[in-house]
Short mmCIF file of all heavy atoms in Angstrom, two decimals:
data_model
loop_
_atom_site.label_atom_id
_atom_site.label_comp_id
_atom_site.label_asym_id
_atom_site.label_seq_id
_atom_site.Cartn_x
_atom_site.Cartn_y
_atom_site.Cartn_z
N THR K 331 -5.93 -13.07 -5.32
CA THR K 331 -5.48 -13.05 -3.93
C THR K 331 -4.54 -11.89 -3.70
O THR K 331 -3.78 -11.49 -4.59
CB THR K 331 -4.75 -14.36 -3.57
OG1 THR K 331 -3.62 -14.53 -4.43
CG2 THR K 331 -5.68 -15.56 -3.70
N GLY K 332 -4.59 -11.34 -2.48
CA GLY K 332 -3.71 -10.24 -2.11
C GLY K 332 -4.07 -9.72 -0.74
O GLY K 332 -5.12 -10.08 -0.18
N ASP K 333 -3.23 -8.87 -0.19
CA ASP K 333 -3.51 -8.24 1.11
C ASP K 333 -4.25 -6.93 0.84
O ASP K 333 -3.64 -5.87 0.69
CB ASP K 333 -2.20 -7.99 1.86
CG ASP K 333 -2.43 -7.31 3.20
OD1 ASP K 333 -3.60 -7.14 3.60
OD2 ASP K 333 -1.43 -6.93 3.83
N PHE K 334 -5.57 -7.00 0.77
CA PHE K 334 -6.35 -5.86 0.30
C PHE K 334 -6.61 -4.80 1.36
O PHE K 334 -7.02 -3.68 1.02
CB PHE K 334 -7.67 -6.36 -0.31
CG PHE K 334 -7.46 -7.26 -1.50
CD1 PHE K 334 -7.92 -8.57 -1.48
CD2 PHE K 334 -6.79 -6.81 -2.61
CE1 PHE K 334 -7.71 -9.41 -2.57
CE2 PHE K 334 -6.57 -7.64 -3.71
CZ PHE K 334 -7.04 -8.93 -3.68
N ASN K 335 -6.41 -5.12 2.65
CA ASN K 335 -6.60 -4.11 3.70
C ASN K 335 -5.32 -3.76 4.44
O ASN K 335 -5.33 -3.02 5.42
CB ASN K 335 -7.69 -4.54 4.69
CG ASN K 335 -7.32 -5.81 5.44
OD1 ASN K 335 -6.37 -6.52 5.06
ND2 ASN K 335 -8.05 -6.11 6.50
N GLY K 336 -4.18 -4.32 4.01
CA GLY K 336 -2.89 -3.93 4.56
C GLY K 336 -2.57 -4.48 5.93
O GLY K 336 -1.72 -3.93 6.64
N ASP K 337 -3.20 -5.60 6.33
CA ASP K 337 -2.92 -6.17 7.66
C ASP K 337 -1.91 -7.31 7.61
O ASP K 337 -1.73 -8.03 8.59
CB ASP K 337 -4.21 -6.64 8.33
CG ASP K 337 -4.90 -7.78 7.59
OD1 ASP K 337 -4.39 -8.20 6.52
OD2 ASP K 337 -5.95 -8.25 8.06
N ARG K 338 -1.27 -7.49 6.44
CA ARG K 338 -0.24 -8.52 6.21
C ARG K 338 -0.80 -9.94 6.18
O ARG K 338 -0.06 -10.91 6.35
CB ARG K 338 0.89 -8.41 7.25
CG ARG K 338 1.60 -7.07 7.22
CD ARG K 338 2.81 -7.06 8.13
NE ARG K 338 3.46 -5.75 8.10
CZ ARG K 338 4.56 -5.46 8.78
NH1 ARG K 338 5.14 -6.36 9.56
NH2 ARG K 338 5.09 -4.25 8.70
N ARG K 339 -2.10 -10.03 5.97
CA ARG K 339 -2.71 -11.35 5.76
C ARG K 339 -3.30 -11.38 4.36
O ARG K 339 -3.88 -10.40 3.90
CB ARG K 339 -3.80 -11.64 6.81
CG ARG K 339 -3.28 -11.71 8.23
CD ARG K 339 -4.31 -12.33 9.16
NE ARG K 339 -5.46 -11.49 9.40
CZ ARG K 339 -5.61 -10.69 10.46
NH1 ARG K 339 -4.65 -10.62 11.39
NH2 ARG K 339 -6.69 -9.96 10.62
N MET K 340 -3.17 -12.53 3.69
CA MET K 340 -3.70 -12.67 2.34
C MET K 340 -5.21 -12.82 2.36
O MET K 340 -5.74 -13.63 3.11
CB MET K 340 -3.08 -13.88 1.63
CG MET K 340 -3.45 -13.95 0.16
SD MET K 340 -2.98 -15.53 -0.59
CE MET K 340 -4.32 -16.59 -0.02
N ASP K 341 -5.87 -12.02 1.56
CA ASP K 341 -7.33 -12.05 1.45
C ASP K 341 -7.71 -12.57 0.06
O ASP K 341 -6.86 -12.84 -0.78
CB ASP K 341 -7.88 -10.63 1.64
CG ASP K 341 -7.29 -9.94 2.86
OD1 ASP K 341 -7.40 -10.51 3.97
OD2 ASP K 341 -6.73 -8.84 2.71
N MET K 342 -9.02 -12.70 -0.15
CA MET K 342 -9.54 -13.10 -1.45
C MET K 342 -10.35 -11.95 -2.04
O MET K 342 -11.18 -11.35 -1.36
CB MET K 342 -10.46 -14.32 -1.32
CG MET K 342 -9.79 -15.59 -0.82
SD MET K 342 -8.54 -16.25 -1.95
CE MET K 342 -9.53 -16.53 -3.41
N GLY K 343 -10.08 -11.64 -3.29
CA GLY K 343 -10.89 -10.68 -4.03
C GLY K 343 -11.67 -11.41 -5.11
O GLY K 343 -11.19 -12.39 -5.67
N MET K 344 -12.86 -10.92 -5.38
CA MET K 344 -13.69 -11.58 -6.39
C MET K 344 -14.41 -10.55 -7.25
O MET K 344 -14.96 -9.57 -6.74
CB MET K 344 -14.72 -12.50 -5.73
CG MET K 344 -15.63 -13.20 -6.74
SD MET K 344 -16.78 -14.39 -5.98
CE MET K 344 -17.86 -13.30 -5.06
N MET K 345 -14.39 -10.79 -8.55
CA MET K 345 -15.27 -10.09 -9.48
C MET K 345 -16.38 -11.07 -9.84
O MET K 345 -16.11 -12.21 -10.23
CB MET K 345 -14.49 -9.67 -10.73
CG MET K 345 -15.33 -9.02 -11.80
SD MET K 345 -14.37 -8.60 -13.30
CE MET K 345 -13.71 -6.99 -12.81
N TYR K 346 -17.62 -10.61 -9.69
CA TYR K 346 -18.76 -11.51 -9.91
C TYR K 346 -19.72 -10.90 -10.94
O TYR K 346 -20.08 -9.73 -10.86
CB TYR K 346 -19.51 -11.76 -8.60
CG TYR K 346 -20.53 -12.88 -8.69
CD1 TYR K 346 -20.14 -14.19 -8.45
CD2 TYR K 346 -21.84 -12.62 -9.07
CE1 TYR K 346 -21.06 -15.23 -8.56
CE2 TYR K 346 -22.76 -13.65 -9.19
CZ TYR K 346 -22.36 -14.95 -8.94
OH TYR K 346 -23.26 -15.98 -9.07
N ARG K 347 -20.10 -11.75 -11.90
CA ARG K 347 -21.03 -11.33 -12.95
C ARG K 347 -22.43 -11.83 -12.63
O ARG K 347 -22.65 -13.04 -12.41
CB ARG K 347 -20.59 -11.90 -14.30
CG ARG K 347 -21.54 -11.59 -15.45
CD ARG K 347 -21.14 -12.37 -16.69
NE ARG K 347 -21.11 -13.81 -16.44
CZ ARG K 347 -20.79 -14.73 -17.35
NH1 ARG K 347 -20.46 -14.36 -18.55
NH2 ARG K 347 -20.80 -16.01 -17.04
N PHE K 348 -23.40 -10.91 -12.61
CA PHE K 348 -24.80 -11.27 -12.36
C PHE K 348 -25.53 -11.53 -13.67
O PHE K 348 -25.06 -11.17 -14.76
CB PHE K 348 -25.50 -10.16 -11.58
CG PHE K 348 -25.02 -10.05 -10.15
CD1 PHE K 348 -23.95 -9.22 -9.83
CD2 PHE K 348 -25.61 -10.78 -9.15
CE1 PHE K 348 -23.50 -9.12 -8.53
CE2 PHE K 348 -25.17 -10.70 -7.84
CZ PHE K 348 -24.10 -9.87 -7.53
N GLY K 349 -26.68 -12.15 -13.55
CA GLY K 349 -27.45 -12.52 -14.73
C GLY K 349 -27.88 -11.35 -15.58
O GLY K 349 -28.10 -11.51 -16.79
N ASP K 350 -28.01 -10.16 -14.97
CA ASP K 350 -28.44 -8.99 -15.74
C ASP K 350 -27.28 -8.30 -16.45
O ASP K 350 -27.47 -7.28 -17.13
CB ASP K 350 -29.17 -8.00 -14.83
CG ASP K 350 -28.25 -7.38 -13.77
OD1 ASP K 350 -27.08 -7.77 -13.67
OD2 ASP K 350 -28.75 -6.50 -13.02
N GLY K 351 -26.06 -8.84 -16.29
CA GLY K 351 -24.89 -8.27 -16.94
C GLY K 351 -24.09 -7.32 -16.08
O GLY K 351 -23.00 -6.89 -16.48
N SER K 352 -24.61 -6.97 -14.90
CA SER K 352 -23.82 -6.13 -13.99
C SER K 352 -22.70 -6.96 -13.37
O SER K 352 -22.77 -8.19 -13.30
CB SER K 352 -24.71 -5.54 -12.90
OG SER K 352 -25.28 -6.56 -12.09
N ILE K 353 -21.65 -6.27 -12.94
CA ILE K 353 -20.46 -6.92 -12.39
C ILE K 353 -20.09 -6.23 -11.09
O ILE K 353 -20.01 -4.99 -11.05
CB ILE K 353 -19.29 -6.86 -13.39
CG1 ILE K 353 -19.61 -7.71 -14.64
CG2 ILE K 353 -17.99 -7.33 -12.75
CD1 ILE K 353 -18.61 -7.57 -15.77
N LYS K 354 -19.85 -7.00 -10.04
CA LYS K 354 -19.58 -6.41 -8.73
C LYS K 354 -18.28 -6.97 -8.16
O LYS K 354 -17.93 -8.13 -8.38
CB LYS K 354 -20.73 -6.71 -7.76
CG LYS K 354 -20.64 -5.98 -6.42
CD LYS K 354 -21.78 -6.35 -5.49
CE LYS K 354 -23.08 -5.75 -5.91
NZ LYS K 354 -23.13 -4.28 -5.65
N MET K 355 -17.56 -6.11 -7.43
CA MET K 355 -16.33 -6.51 -6.75
C MET K 355 -16.64 -6.86 -5.29
O MET K 355 -17.43 -6.17 -4.63
CB MET K 355 -15.30 -5.38 -6.80
CG MET K 355 -14.83 -5.03 -8.20
SD MET K 355 -14.02 -6.39 -9.06
CE MET K 355 -12.56 -6.65 -8.02
N TYR K 356 -16.00 -7.92 -4.81
CA TYR K 356 -16.17 -8.39 -3.43
C TYR K 356 -14.81 -8.65 -2.80
O TYR K 356 -13.84 -8.98 -3.49
CB TYR K 356 -16.96 -9.71 -3.40
CG TYR K 356 -18.41 -9.60 -3.77
CD1 TYR K 356 -18.82 -9.64 -5.10
CD2 TYR K 356 -19.39 -9.48 -2.79
CE1 TYR K 356 -20.16 -9.55 -5.44
CE2 TYR K 356 -20.73 -9.40 -3.13
CZ TYR K 356 -21.11 -9.43 -4.45
OH TYR K 356 -22.44 -9.35 -4.79
N THR K 357 -14.77 -8.54 -1.48
CA THR K 357 -13.56 -8.84 -0.72
C THR K 357 -13.90 -9.80 0.41
O THR K 357 -14.83 -9.56 1.19
CB THR K 357 -12.95 -7.57 -0.10
OG1 THR K 357 -12.88 -6.54 -1.08
CG2 THR K 357 -11.56 -7.86 0.45
N GLY K 358 -13.12 -10.89 0.52
CA GLY K 358 -13.21 -11.81 1.64
C GLY K 358 -11.92 -11.70 2.44
O GLY K 358 -10.89 -12.24 2.04
N LEU K 359 -11.96 -10.98 3.55
CA LEU K 359 -10.77 -10.76 4.36
C LEU K 359 -10.43 -12.00 5.19
O LEU K 359 -11.32 -12.73 5.62
CB LEU K 359 -10.97 -9.57 5.29
CG LEU K 359 -11.21 -8.22 4.62
CD1 LEU K 359 -11.48 -7.14 5.67
CD2 LEU K 359 -10.03 -7.83 3.74
N ALA K 360 -9.14 -12.21 5.41
CA ALA K 360 -8.70 -13.31 6.27
C ALA K 360 -8.66 -12.82 7.71
O ALA K 360 -8.27 -11.68 8.00
CB ALA K 360 -7.32 -13.78 5.85
N ASP K 361 -9.06 -13.70 8.64
CA ASP K 361 -9.00 -13.34 10.06
C ASP K 361 -7.64 -13.74 10.65
O ASP K 361 -6.75 -14.21 9.94
CB ASP K 361 -10.15 -13.98 10.84
CG ASP K 361 -10.12 -15.50 10.84
OD1 ASP K 361 -9.07 -16.09 10.52
OD2 ASP K 361 -11.16 -16.10 11.19
N ALA K 362 -7.48 -13.54 11.96
CA ALA K 362 -6.19 -13.78 12.61
C ALA K 362 -5.77 -15.24 12.58
O ALA K 362 -4.59 -15.55 12.75
CB ALA K 362 -6.24 -13.28 14.05
#
């Protein structure tokens, strides 16, 4: 968790592992 876009709201960050072994970063921003 953190404010990843600088709008002073806490967002969710995720690292996700796929079945082929690749790993991707995701961001779930919080709304107003």
Side-chain angles (χ1 to χ4, degrees):
T331 59
D333 179 6
F334 299 119
N335 63 346
D337 64 359
R338 300 187 181 181
R339 297 194 290 263
M340 188 191 79
D341 312 304
M342 297 295 301
M344 179 175 68
M345 176 182 275
Y346 191 88
R347 177 189 57 181
F348 290 90
D350 66 355
S352 63
I353 294 172
K354 189 182 287 287
M355 297 299 296
Y356 290 85
T357 313
L359 298 177
D361 63 16

